[in-house]
Amino acid sequence: MANVSIKQLRKSYDGKQDVLAGINLDVEDGEFCVLVGPSGCGKSTLLRMLCGLEDVTDGEIAIGDQVVNRLPPAERGIAMVFQSYALYPHMTVYKNMAFGLKVAGTDKNTIDQQIRHTAAILKIDHLLDRLPRALSGGQRQRVAIGRAIVRKPRLFLFDEPLSNLDAALRVQTRLEIAKLHRQLAATIVYVTHDQVEAMTLGDKIVVMNEGHIQQSGTPLALYQQPQNLFVATFIGSPKMNLISALVTAIEADHLKVQLDGGQEVRADVCVTEVNGVLRIGDPVTLGLRPEHILENATGSEAFYGTVNMVEHLGEANFIYATLQNGQDVVIRGDGNNTVPLGAPITLSAASSAFHVFDANGNALHRTKPGNMISSKQISSTAA
């Protein structure tokens, strides 16, 4: 396996508009790196440049100690798994997996050993004599992954490999890919638009938008400390609630802000960072994760809304409400509670749960980002 180093990478098709604008990224040896973002953000273009299917306009790509900008795909030591399975329909599973090794001149005994070993890992050893048309979608995807594994590449590239699978198969195959990464200690760069895949698979998540990296880091770091509004709302399902407010006081370790409805709440942020960035009267955006909002709260910092819809998931429910200022919020509540539609609801949250974003959408660091308080903990404290 090998590490990946990308420096000031730029891609432009017309010489004017950059699809990728100065990307800098390091992927460690054995790391599972997930590129995530909306359609058109540049993540698939970046992957195609890694594997040599797109030319580099400017910058440098290195795999291991080798700069690969001008190397053809076959000489980069990579294996790619596409969204479409790209299996040869007239070849059996065995022959599909063997094809790349035969082209490389590998001897028959080695080919047979590698195929049967890989097939056993992926639990497709009983399918080796079948044609692709006799396989399910999940089985075809495992064959495509197996074809990549037998080549023993330095780097695995996955381009939205689960997009064509149904919900149950996506979960199953996602678990298999995670187990495979642990078994092989492989370096993987994985592209997806699904942030749930990103959160569950990645050692490192790279959030992209409009050709730029918005933030990279561990899943927990991005979830607890998003650097801007884009990352805050892209990572997390349901997404973070955003509430407009005005700064009313700047204290030693927190802000006090007033919501549009007149309620005042406290948000714990690093005051040294606030000085020179915010002043009293400045507009800010508050962010709250659905699981950190307490329903039926009491106290001076409560804010109020009306229930519009409830989604029941069994162990929890998602309550969709509209605040007095007209903004919509989602609350993750106890699945055992019955919440009538149209009913008034009183909400609250711990001061440590609030994220604060300035007028430019940049986040202010919270005082205690690692000590998040869940709604269950708030409930027990309030009781």
Side-chain angles (χ1 to χ4, degrees):
M1 299 304 162
N3 63 304
V4 177
S5 177
I6 298 171
K7 297 178 181 178
Q8 290 297 315
L9 189 66
R10 192 171 67 86
K11 178 64 180 179
S12 174
Y13 290 104
D14 56 11
K16 298 178 182 179
Q17 183 66 38
D18 283 342
V19 178
L20 294 175
I23 297 294
N24 291 291
L25 177 64
D26 290 316
V27 182
E28 301 299 326
D29 189 3
E31 190 171 46
F32 198 127
C33 177
V34 180
L35 308 179
V36 66
S39 297
C41 70
K43 57 187 185 296
S44 290
T45 301
L46 178 54
L47 196 77
R48 290 172 63 85
M49 292 172 78
L50 270 173
C51 73
L53 296 179
E54 294 279 359
D55 294 332
V56 173
T57 302
D58 196 15
E60 180 180 286
I61 299 174
I63 300 176
D65 297 326
Q66 184 180 29
V67 176
V68 298
N69 286 31
R70 299 184 180 279
L71 287 182
E75 296 179 20
R76 296 192 179 199
I78 55 98
M80 190 162 182
V81 179
F82 296 92
Q83 180 178 349
S84 60
Y85 315 122
L87 301 178
Y88 297 108
H90 63 288
M91 293 185 182
T92 63
V93 169
Y94 186 100
K95 289 182 178 179
N96 265 282
M97 293 175 67
F99 184 77
L101 295 176
K102 285 184 177 179
V103 171
T106 308
D107 67 86
K108 289 185 178 180
N109 288 336
T110 303
I111 290 174
D112 188 68
Q113 289 174 6
Q114 290 182 203
I115 288 175
R116 296 193 183 279
H117 175 68
T118 302
I121 292 175
L122 294 171
K123 298 180 181 178
I124 55 172
D125 43 337
H126 61 295
L127 305 175
L128 292 176
D129 294 329
R130 294 191 189 181
L131 293 172
R133 65 172 177 267
L135 305 177
S136 68
Q139 289 169 336
R140 291 180 193 180
Q141 193 58 274
R142 277 184 279 171
V143 174
I145 293 170
R147 182 176 56 188
I149 292 172
V150 295
R151 295 177 56 193
K152 296 185 177 179
R154 295 190 293 172
L155 174 66
F156 287 92
L157 304 176
F158 287 78
D159 188 10
E160 302 200 40
L162 308 185
S163 297
N164 292 331
L165 305 181
D166 62 39
L169 271 177
R170 285 181 76 136
V171 174
Q172 179 186 344
T173 309
R174 191 173 71 214
L175 292 172
E176 290 173 352
I177 291 174
K179 291 177 182 176
L180 192 64
H181 175 245
R182 289 197 299 270
Q183 288 176 332
L184 300 178
T187 307
I188 296 176
V189 178
Y190 185 106
V191 162
T192 181
H193 66 275
D194 186 334
Q195 56 90 24
V196 174
E197 282 181 30
M199 292 290 289
T200 53
L201 285 173
D203 299 319
K204 174 191 288 179
I205 297 177
V206 179
V207 181
M208 298 183 65
N209 190 38
E210 297 181 347
H212 296 270
I213 292 177
Q214 298 291 315
Q215 187 175 351
S216 64
T218 65
L220 193 59
L222 268 63
Y223 190 81
Q224 291 189 341
Q225 284 285 74
Q227 291 180 358
N228 55 48
L229 279 170
F230 180 83
V231 177
T233 53
F234 194 86
I235 298 294
S237 182
K239 67 180 183 180
M240 181 184 287
N241 296 295
L242 301 179
I243 305 169
S244 299
L246 294 175
V247 177
T248 57
I250 300 174
E251 305 292 346
D253 58 354
H254 66 274
L255 294 177
K256 285 188 177 179
V257 300
Q258 188 177 59
L259 310 187
D260 288 350
Q263 305 93 340
E264 192 173 63
V265 298
R266 165 179 163 156
D268 295 343
V269 296
C270 298
V271 115
T272 54
E273 187 176 304
V274 172
N275 291 331
V277 176
L278 291 180
R279 295 174 297 180
I280 292 175
D282 281 352
V284 293
T285 301
L286 296 181
L288 270 176
R289 296 289 182 192
E291 65 270 23
H292 296 140
I293 301 179
L294 171 65
E295 53 182 307
N296 299 322
T298 58
S300 60
E301 293 194 346
F303 45 103
Y304 310 94
T306 303
V307 177
N308 297 323
M309 187 177 71
V310 180
E311 290 181 335
H312 297 280
L313 303 180
E315 84 287 354
N317 56 35
F318 289 126
I319 304 165
Y320 295 80
T322 301
L323 302 181
Q324 288 180 329
N325 63 2
Q327 291 183 290
D328 295 325
V329 296
V330 184
I331 305 102
R332 182 183 175 95
D334 188 340
N336 295 315
N337 292 345
T338 300
V339 183
L341 299 182
I345 188 169
T346 307
L347 307 171
S348 185
S351 57
S352 62
F354 284 100
H355 300 252
V356 182
F357 303 90
D358 65 20
N360 296 318
N362 297 315
L364 302 174
H365 287 103
R366 291 178 296 137
T367 308
K368 300 176 182 178
N371 297 327
M372 293 302 298
I373 302 177
S374 70
S375 55
K376 288 185 178 180
Q377 289 174 306
I378 299 172
S379 299
S380 61
T381 304

